[in-house]
Amino acid sequence: MGIKGERDGIPISIDEINKLRTVASKARNNVIKMQFYDHSIHVGSSLSSIEILTTLIFKYIRDSQSKYDRDWLILSKGHAAPGLYAVLAEKGLIPEEELWKIQDISGLLQGHPEVFIPGIDMSTGSLGQGLSFGIGVATGIRMQGGKGRVYVIMGDGEQDEGEIWEAMTHAVTRKLDNLISFIEVNNYQLDDSTDAVKPKHFLPDVWKAVGWRTLFCDGHDFASIVDAIEEAHKIRAPVVIFAKTLRGKGFPVIENTKVQRASPDDARKYLINA
């Protein structure tokens, strides 16, 4: 996906954590600022993903001239695209000024990821499709003897999609140990809390029962995320990491609620005090 990275297997240092925190803080502020230019973006879901995206893009995703030796990042929860764009801008793949033109006819960035945008590996938005696509890519890499890994990021509400339930068993059948999926557990989906719509507490047991190795992390703690990824790299089976996150993380007006966005005035107050 055109991003250079390192996989050194060395426990993350305080210095590296601080660098990642700086990137995440800037990306978080830019997502909140993007509300000034398009009030329809999904701020809450984007802020939920910032630390996971930052860790993957700045520490793990490797580039290669070979599509079989590079790593792939698939944001299956495509409505969180503003978070991905903000991190890609910090990486230098997207000009920062493009963030302020999101969904504008004159701009590059769409409301959901599109493959013509630098750093985007799959056009997503229809929930449930990212895992199937990731399985196809991971299978192709294995068939060609490649070294690439595939990372898929999904939401907990997204687990209601039947396509995910079909795909999860196929990954086990294919023995795809180059596939690592994140499920963000922020306890909210489109209409309400996950408990009110369809409880999700049983999901780790289901994924484990069909043959995935299940790991857990704090999705806003860089050391916890890195520990989970490092452990996943050692496992010879498909891995799913359940990452506990907060919807709207870091934006007090909407944090840990079903609200996706706030007014420009609220965003301005936050940014002034940030």
Side-chain angles (χ1 to χ4, degrees), residues 146-199:
K147 300 177 181 177
R149 287 194 174 103
V150 181
Y151 299 88
V152 179
I153 301 176
M154 298 177 282
D156 48 2
E158 187 175 1
Q159 303 307 298
D160 290 346
E161 300 291 339
E163 185 171 353
I164 289 178
W165 291 70
E166 293 181 54
M168 67 165 71
T169 52
H170 192 63
V172 175
T173 300
R174 289 286 186 175
K175 299 180 173 62
L176 297 178
D177 60 354
N178 59 338
L179 175 64
I180 297 173
S181 294
F182 281 85
I183 295 177
E184 285 191 40
V185 183
N186 64 27
N187 296 322
Y188 287 96
Q189 54 193 98
L190 179 63
D191 296 319
D192 208 333
S193 70
T194 52
D195 283 343
V197 179
K198 286 184 179 179

Side-chain angles (χ1 to χ4, degrees), residues 4-21:
K4 295 181 180 178
E6 282 290 326
R7 288 211 302 243
D8 50 26
I10 300 172
I12 192 167
S13 67
I14 296 298
D15 182 60
E16 190 174 7
I17 287 175
N18 288 335
K19 289 178 180 177
L20 293 176
R21 282 176 177 162

